[in-house]
Amino acid sequence: MYTPATTTPLYLLFLISFFTFLFHAVPFISAQDDITNIGVIIDVSSRIGKEEKVSIEIAIQTINNASSNKHKLVLHVRDTGGNPLQAYMAAEDLIKKTKVNAIIGMETWQEAALVAELANRAQVPILSFAAPSITHSINIGEMAFLGEVDQQ
């Protein structure tokens, strides 16, 4: 069951770790006037998209406000409206016009696959929030435990 109170802090922790890694592990970023452009591609109208946007903004603020940090992250948010083709066009815009150093977001595998193809050609790292497309199959014993099937 999805509970926003527990997943939002996880997004935040994960994003802060990702941005910290991006600062210290990727050498091409430090050559750009102490600014790193991060593209964000999400469905802003969805509940989970709104939570992701808030988590990302908090993570960026936390990193940018660090007293020892002179390097700043700048977010460039694009809305997909839940459409994979809009996600592709947003990625194309972020890569070609905005010159982002990384892209995060993409809630579905269709969005992630399209953006990954484009980002791979442009050598821009991506981080997708898409859930696995293959789900765990439940056997009869587990279903009985869950009360869904009576074992005979």
Side-chain angles (χ1 to χ4, degrees):
M1 174 135 189
Y2 178 77
T3 56
T6 58
T7 55
T8 301
L10 292 176
Y11 275 129
L12 185 59
L13 178 64
F14 183 71
L15 291 169
I16 290 173
S17 300
F18 174 71
F19 293 135
T20 303
F21 166 77
L22 201 57
F23 267 179
H24 299 292
V26 184
F28 66 88
I29 292 175
S30 62
Q32 295 184 351
D33 301 328
D34 294 336
I35 292 178
T36 300
N37 292 307
I38 305 291
V40 178
I41 301 174
I42 53 177
D43 181 3
V44 179
S45 61
S46 73
R47 182 189 71 195
I48 199 163
K50 290 174 186 174
E51 290 176 2
E52 289 170 349
K53 186 173 186 271
V54 169
S55 296
I56 293 167
E57 289 170 346
I58 291 170
I60 294 293
Q61 239 179 1
T62 301
I63 291 172
N64 284 344
N65 291 338
S67 61
S68 63
N69 186 16
K70 294 178 184 175
H71 199 101
K72 299 295 177 196
L73 296 175
V74 177
L75 282 183
H76 302 276
V77 179
R78 300 292 186 273
D79 185 13
T80 66
N83 184 335
L85 292 177
Q86 282 185 308
Y88 180 86
M89 292 186 302
E92 190 173 45
D93 177 63
L94 288 167
I95 291 169
K96 291 181 179 179
K97 293 181 183 172
T98 311
K99 308 280 189 223
V100 294
N101 299 101
I103 297 175
I104 59 176
M106 292 82 57
E107 296 172 19
T108 67
W109 279 106
Q110 294 86 1
E111 292 172 349
L114 287 172
V115 172
E117 178 63 32
L118 179 64
N120 187 37
R121 282 187 265 134
Q123 296 184 340
V124 173
I126 68 164
L127 173 67
S128 173
F129 297 143
S133 62
I134 299 174
T135 58
H136 171 65
S137 61
I138 298 177
N139 66 32
I140 297 294
E142 290 172 321
M143 289 173 67
F145 177 74
L146 296 173
E148 297 176 9
V149 169
D150 291 328
Q151 284 186 324
Q152 298 179 11

